[in-house]
Amino acid sequence: MYVDESGDPGVGKYASPHYILSGLIINSNDWRKYLDQIKTFRTAVKKMYGLNIREEIHAAELIRINKIKSYAAIRKADRIHILRNLAVQIPVIFNTAKVVNVCLRKADFPADTDFQKLAWSRLITRYDVYLKKSVKDNGIIIADDSSEGTIRSLLRKLRTYNPIMSHFNGETYNAPTDNIIEDVFHRDSAHSYYIQIADVIAHLLYRKEYPKGSLKKYGVHLYFDELKDILLKEASKKDAMGVVRN
């Protein structure tokens, strides 16, 4: 599972109103096939818009340039068109993959909530359940290069103690996340097409949750819906798209 985030886990005046984690789950046997298809897509984008194949795809920057200065050579409408093409092509390229999403609206939680730990524990648990019940296999997690120590400690704890609320009697039971191998592997997103795809997914969910008026003419708030066929809807029975919200 390749993971990236949208927003930040902080609280306060300058923090984002949300914290989103998106995980792209693939079978290792499909890894090379997907990589070749991503490269084909990137080659087409280069021919059409001039975006270098090695340049990082960063969804937020495609909409509003902050750090990736090379994006400035591409007009805004074309950058958003790249994002639209990605939304359409992700479920085509990753046709046997699954995507799990956690979206926490901070206003819905107590002010002292540790949003990073909460979101990651929800994501890890859903991934572990998928490994146990759906594919009956072990897995690893590869994430953007941030907060390594916190996530490592959390995963190690969940392997031993992971209290889950029962749907039948309201009581909790221990469900260790023992199908995930090793600690989380961290990589710079600039060097991983797969983490860049997870970034795009997380940002598309953000744009659906918090639509911006100036982008509605492009339909950006609808792009996330293009992913419906590969969403792990069983991750949350309370949400039509399977988004975990609490």
Side-chain angles (χ1 to χ4, degrees):
M1 179 170 70
Y2 289 87
V3 182
D4 207 351
E5 63 186 10
S6 173
D8 62 76
V11 294
K13 182 178 179 181
Y14 299 105
S16 64
H18 70 289
Y19 186 56
I20 292 172
L21 290 177
S22 292
L24 175 68
I25 304 170
I26 68 168
N27 189 303
S28 59
N29 293 326
D30 295 325
W31 187 89
R32 183 71 211 190
K33 176 186 71 173
Y34 290 153
L35 181 62
D36 290 341
Q37 292 176 173
I38 295 171
K39 288 180 177 178
T40 298
F41 174 81
R42 290 299 305 265
T43 299
V45 169
K46 180 181 180 181
K47 289 180 179 178
M48 188 171 293
Y49 303 107
L51 181 63
N52 192 292
I53 293 173
R54 290 188 176 88
E55 184 63 83
E56 180 177 6
I57 289 286
H58 195 289
E61 294 272 326
L62 286 172
I63 293 176
R64 185 177 181 180
I65 300 170
N66 183 31
K67 296 179 181 179
I68 306 179
K69 303 305 180 185
S70 63
Y71 282 6
I74 306 171
R75 65 192 185 102
K76 183 174 182 177
D78 287 341
R79 296 197 308 270
I80 293 177
H81 196 218
I82 293 172
L83 193 60
R84 164 68 176 168
N85 287 342
L86 274 164
V88 171
Q89 289 301 313
I90 286 172
V92 176
I93 293 172
F94 298 95
N95 61 324
T96 59
K98 287 295 181 182
V99 174
V100 58
N101 297 284
V102 178
C103 177
L104 305 181
R105 287 178 174 256
K106 296 175 184 177
D108 296 339
F109 295 85
D112 61 349
T113 299
D114 187 327
F115 290 101
Q116 186 172 61
K117 286 186 177 179
L118 178 61
W120 269 99
S121 66
R122 298 295 186 258
L123 187 74
I124 290 168
T125 298
R126 265 61 176 192
Y127 179 43
D128 187 69
V129 170
Y130 175 78
L131 292 170
K132 283 184 171 75
K133 295 186 176 181
S134 297
V135 296
K136 296 178 174 58
D137 204 349
N138 293 319
I140 64 172
I141 299 174
I142 304 169
D144 190 21
D145 192 13
S146 60
S147 305
E148 182 175 354
T150 299
I151 299 168
R152 179 176 61 247
S153 297
L154 176 63
L155 179 54
R156 290 181 179 184
K157 177 182 176 182
L158 292 175
R159 284 200 182 102
T160 303
Y161 181 63
N162 182 29
I164 301 294
M165 181 73 71
S166 171
H167 294 295
F168 301 104
N169 57 21
E171 298 181 356
T172 60
Y173 63 96
N174 189 29
T177 57
D178 48 13
N179 278 53
I180 299 172
I181 298 170
E182 260 289 356
D183 297 326
V184 176
F185 296 89
H186 292 268
R187 290 206 61 196
D188 186 334
S189 60
H191 304 303
S192 172
Y193 282 148
Y194 287 93
I195 293 178
Q196 292 171 36
I197 295 297
D199 165 78
V200 169
I201 294 169
H203 192 77
L204 294 183
L205 178 54
Y206 161 65
R207 291 296 176 182
K208 179 180 176 66
E209 295 287 312
Y210 299 89
K212 189 175 181 181
S214 62
L215 296 175
K216 284 191 174 181
K217 64 181 179 181
Y218 300 106
V220 175
H221 60 296
L222 302 175
Y223 292 178
F224 180 78
D225 295 344
E226 296 287 346
L227 309 176
K228 62 183 182 299
D229 290 341
I230 60 170
L231 297 179
L232 188 66
K233 296 185 178 69
E234 54 265 43
S236 175
K237 297 179 180 178
K238 298 178 181 178
D239 187 273
M241 293 291 202
V243 178
V244 180
R245 300 183 180 279
N246 51 42

